[in-house]
Amino acid sequence: MGSYVIGIGVISAIGNNVEENFDSLVSKRTGISALTHFSTSHDVPVGQINLTNDQLKEMLGLPLGKTYSRTALLGMVAVKEALRDAGVDPHSGLRIGLISSTSAGGMDLSENFYVEMRNKENGGRLRDVVSHDCGDSTEQIASALGIHGFLSTISTACSSSANALMLADRLLNHDQLDLVVAGGIDPLCKFTINGFNSLMILDKELCRPFDATRAGLNLGEAAGFLVLQRDKPKSGKCYCRLAGYANANDAYHQTATSPNGEGPFLAMSGALKRAGLRPEDVDYVNVHGTGTGNNDQSEGTAMRRLFGEKMPRFSSTKVYTGHTLGAAGGIEAVYSALAISRDVIFPTFNFKNRIEELEMEPETEVIPNAGVKVVMSNSFGFGGNVSSLVFSAE
Amino acid sequence: MKCYIRNMSAISPQPTFATDSFLSSVVVPSADEKCLKAIEPDYKVCIKEAGLRRRMSHVIKMGVASALNCVEGANGTLPDAIITATGLGCLADTEKFLQSIIDNDERLLNPTSFIQSTFNTIGGQVALLLKCPCYNFTYVHRGFSFESALLDAMMQLEDGDASNVLVGGIDEVTDTEFRVMERMGFWRSGAKMGEGAQFFLLSSQPTSQDVAQITSLRTFLASASDGTEVESFLDSCGLTIKDIDCVLLGESGDAKMDATLLSWKESLPAGKMQATFKHLCGEYQTASSFGVWCAANLLRYQTVPDALCPVGKAEGLRRILVFNSYRNNNCSLFLLEKIDR
């Protein structure tokens, strides 16, 4: 059981491709900075990708005159890289599916359309609203890259792309497809910045995951995709195996996770059970670790319940990228694949103050040759949606 | 990969909620009505907490009430997976939050509409109210949303990861969406917009009270169609079109948007029984869930109501093929079968 990761692609605030991301991760170089792509009255730092939509179109060889949501453009960059990395030709006759996920969909365009429509009866260009729904970016990516098989899109807030990987594995196990490209995308937009600001969980400084002084999260934008196949490749690349996963619902509160971490505990223990592994087999946990008071406390409590005294090494990479919402599970799956294939642990480099009641500290230095064979990646979200993935060396 | 429909529930523009009749009386919209609004039940009965009910938008109430009603009618069988599908999610809340950003110039915004704008709000609320800490997914892919949810459910049931799965398709029409679609010329050629919330409690094991069996489903893109999808779908079930007693079509009424479906319909053998459902629920991303609800009821009641505009004849109703198309883009096929007792 468990499908194999044969290709990866990512674009985030710390790089436009896998190598740039890896280089930033091992250089402790954050992508969190001031927002410049659009104006907002909130003075909060973000994980912004420093390419305009026109620059992204140029990179992809797309006509500058055509309108695409930033969601679709970022997704195309990452999916294209993942397919190339896997050495997959979409026209090879294989049954290839695309499972994407996003929380904002085409909101980066439609939020502007909405303003213009409010100002004037027939205001706003229709081309800015046709991509509003979440399926649009998936279909744009599929069409641009020649994927004509099964398409689907998931939106479960911040756990979206972890869930896309679960569906991918299930489809492969049921022989519905030969290859699946799965992951997620979210662009920065006014809607989400204002949403998270209204919840008062945006830090005005660099976020401090699992730190006693943490004051909230930084939002980021990204796309991360993985190419999976059911059988171990006889030749060519193989990063790791998606050995197990579980999705649960905390069923506690619409936005907060329970203080005892019931949902996160169910997801993490369920993922290990599916992988046929024990808690002590886990070498590294890429935690959800957003830096909000609620998340880190709940996640830490659940980890303590699961791992007891034998806490594995863990870190949050959100100090590099910000919380990229629907893309988080995708890019962190890419980072997990890199942790295994290149045997390295990426640090939460700015951690200083331990949360006393949890008695646990994330890694603060890059650890090469860390003996990483099993990685757990957590993604928790609104609506109580919690997901855990477990990756293992082949 | 078959599964059994233990119970189902529909809030739609027709009197379909909490009733034992199957479209015996229907609401027929006039020619100039371009939008079919759902007939809303008395939500107090399903959603008892007044404060919670007040905070819920139209689409959340529709979804939650339909879901709870579906579970209640299954003699208390709680789902071990909750999978929702929606094309546009909680549009009214999304718009409300956008409006508040403009009105308040981004300052001191109330987070409620933002929280409720996320696509998984209905799934999350259902989990909260049923106290089900189980698998919880939301699919949001146009005319493949409900299809993905159902496929996921059927795979989980077959894998034994779940024994009872609650699956639903929910979408609402808002005034803004209506105006935008009007500008796009959505119904210039005869389609009407619609809304609704259909939920199904699916089980891997049959019981004596099941409504019908869902045998298989498939999706395909109209742009990639070579016209052989239905034949190959039936073939994968070991069947041909001869074995199908009634074909239930999701025609929107816009010939251009129904092109792939209509061209296949041309190839049907003469006299093959056909019926349609979208004139009753309107066109929306998850309208296929209303089609599946109708197909299951055809098998349960063994009669085709006039409201579904039947043409042709059938000896009996054992197998129904549902062919849905959304905007001549997302096409889906569902095979449902009668349960022998």
Side-chain angles (χ1 to χ4, degrees), chain A residues 39-42 103 107 111 113-115 117-118 121-126 129-130 132-136 138-139 147-157 163 166-167 170-171 174 176 190-192 194-199 247-255 266 274 382-383 385, chain B residues 1 87-88 91 93-99 101-102 105-107 109-111 114-125 127-128 131-142 144 148 151-152 154-156 158-159 161 176 179-180 183-184 217 219 221 223-224 285 329-330:
Chain A
S39 67
T40 160
S41 57
H42 305 300
S103 72
M107 184 59 89
E111 64 186 10
F113 172 87
Y114 187 78
V115 174
M117 197 190 73
R118 280 283 157 231
E121 177 66 21
N122 276 326
R125 302 176 312 167
L126 289 174
V129 74
V130 290
H132 175 77
D133 70 294
C134 296
D136 175 81
T138 312
E139 294 196 2
I147 299 173
H148 303 296
F150 182 82
L151 303 180
S152 192
T153 312
I154 294 169
S155 192
T156 50
N163 292 342
M166 291 186 205
L167 178 71
R170 223 178 263 284
L171 287 165
H174 282 260
Q176 298 267 331
K190 233 179 199 179
F191 188 86
T192 38
N194 277 285
F196 282 85
N197 191 68
S198 73
L199 291 165
N247 168 293
N249 192 293
D250 202 39
Y252 171 74
H253 186 269
Q254 190 64 20
T255 56
L266 286 174
R274 192 177 180 95
F382 272 22
N385 280 134
Chain B
M1 210 163 53
L88 289 169
L91 263 185
D93 278 307
T94 306
E95 195 180 328
K96 201 169 160 187
F97 193 67
L98 275 172
Q99 188 64 45
I101 294 176
I102 301 170
D105 196 21
E106 299 192 62
R107 278 171 215 288
L109 308 182
N110 182 335
F114 174 67
I115 293 165
Q116 297 197 150
S117 74
T118 53
F119 291 84
N120 58 332
T121 301
I122 295 165
Q125 283 290 347
L128 260 174
K131 298 186 177 59
C132 281
C134 58
Y135 184 95
N136 195 302
F137 260 44
T138 301
Y139 289 95
V140 291
H141 194 111
R142 299 185 166 171
F144 290 158
S148 300
L151 178 62
D152 187 358
M154 290 172 79
M155 289 193 294
Q156 299 232 17
E158 182 167 283
D159 291 345
D161 287 338
T176 305
R179 284 208 303 282
V180 169
R183 280 176 62 188
M184 287 183 189
L217 85 147
T219 62
L221 285 167
S223 58
Q285 290 86 345
N329 178 35
N330 309 115

Side-chain angles (χ1 to χ4, degrees), chain A residues 54-354:
Chain A
D54 277 349
Q55 286 170 318
L56 287 164
K57 283 183 219 170
E58 270 174 23
M59 222 171 118
L60 290 157
L62 295 170
L64 289 180
K66 202 172 165 212
T67 305
Y68 297 90
S69 68
R70 191 164 173 85
T71 320
L73 294 169
L74 296 177
M76 284 179 205
V77 172
V79 171
K80 197 173 177 180
E81 185 185 23
L83 283 172
R84 187 180 295 158
D85 186 44
V88 173
D89 173 10
H91 307 286
S92 58
L94 289 171
R95 296 171 301 163
I96 305 175
L98 175 63
I99 319 292
S100 184
S101 58
T102 174
S103 72
M107 184 59 89
D108 62 300
L109 295 178
S110 49
E111 64 186 10
N112 297 320
F113 172 87
Y114 187 78
V115 174
E116 289 167 36
M117 197 190 73
R118 280 283 157 231
N119 289 338
K120 210 168 125 221
E121 177 66 21
N122 276 326
R125 302 176 312 167
L126 289 174
R127 74 191 96 139
D128 287 338
V129 74
V130 290
S131 50
H132 175 77
D133 70 294
C134 296
D136 175 81
S137 51
T138 312
E139 294 196 2
Q140 295 279 0
I141 298 164
S143 157
L145 299 176
I147 299 173
H148 303 296
F150 182 82
L151 303 180
S152 192
T153 312
I154 294 169
S155 192
T156 50
C158 314
S159 62
S160 301
S161 43
N163 292 342
L165 288 161
M166 291 186 205
L167 178 71
D169 182 71
R170 223 178 263 284
L171 287 165
L172 290 167
N173 273 326
H174 282 260
D175 195 29
Q176 298 267 331
L177 293 163
D178 299 313
L179 284 173
V180 185
V181 189
I185 322 156
D186 256 325
L188 283 166
C189 58
K190 233 179 199 179
F191 188 86
T192 38
I193 288 182
N194 277 285
F196 282 85
N197 191 68
S198 73
L199 291 165
M200 294 184 282
I201 50 173
L202 291 181
D203 197 338
K204 288 195 187 303
E205 313 288 328
L206 180 63
C207 65
R208 281 152 286 158
F210 278 85
D211 195 297
T213 67
R214 69 196 183 282
L217 56 87
N218 306 137
L219 284 172
E221 58 182 355
F225 282 86
L226 297 87
V227 182
L228 294 108
Q229 69 177 32
R230 189 169 68 168
D231 300 320
K232 191 174 174 178
K234 291 183 185 71
S235 61
K237 276 191 187 138
C238 183
Y239 288 89
C240 56
R241 193 163 64 93
L242 175 56
Y245 47 81
N247 168 293
N249 192 293
D250 202 39
Y252 171 74
H253 186 269
Q254 190 64 20
T255 56
T257 29
S258 56
N260 68 353
E262 181 62 19
F265 178 80
L266 286 174
M268 290 191 282
S269 53
L272 281 176
K273 192 176 163 211
R274 192 177 180 95
L277 294 168
R278 300 161 300 172
E280 54 267 39
D281 296 325
V282 177
D283 301 308
Y284 165 59
V285 184
N286 187 301
V287 294
H288 187 54
T290 56
T292 64
N294 175 249
N295 177 81
D296 297 1
Q297 189 274 335
S298 175
E299 186 172 17
T301 304
M303 284 167 71
R304 188 53 82 193
R305 266 177 82 186
L306 179 66
F307 295 110
E309 292 310 303
K310 291 177 187 155
M311 186 65 64
R313 286 166 161 165
F314 73 95
S315 69
S316 166
T317 45
K318 289 188 172 69
V319 287
Y320 294 89
T321 59
H323 185 4
T324 60
L325 308 178
I331 67 169
E332 288 162 24
V334 168
Y335 298 161
S336 299
L338 288 171
I340 291 175
S341 65
R342 301 191 186 177
D343 197 12
V344 58
I345 288 174
F346 314 116
T348 301
F349 54 81
N350 63 341
F351 172 84
K352 282 197 186 74
N353 311 288
R354 188 155 100 153

Side-chain angles (χ1 to χ4, degrees), chain B residues 256-285:
Chain B
K256 207 172 141 201
M257 290 301 165
D258 297 335
T260 307
L261 185 154
L262 292 174
S263 117
W264 174 75
K265 191 172 127 177
E266 296 276 292
S267 72
L268 275 176
K272 174 64 67 184
M273 186 176 222
Q274 305 167 24
T276 57
F277 64 87
K278 245 177 216 172
H279 59 288
L280 297 175
C281 67
E283 176 67 306
Y284 57 99
Q285 290 86 345

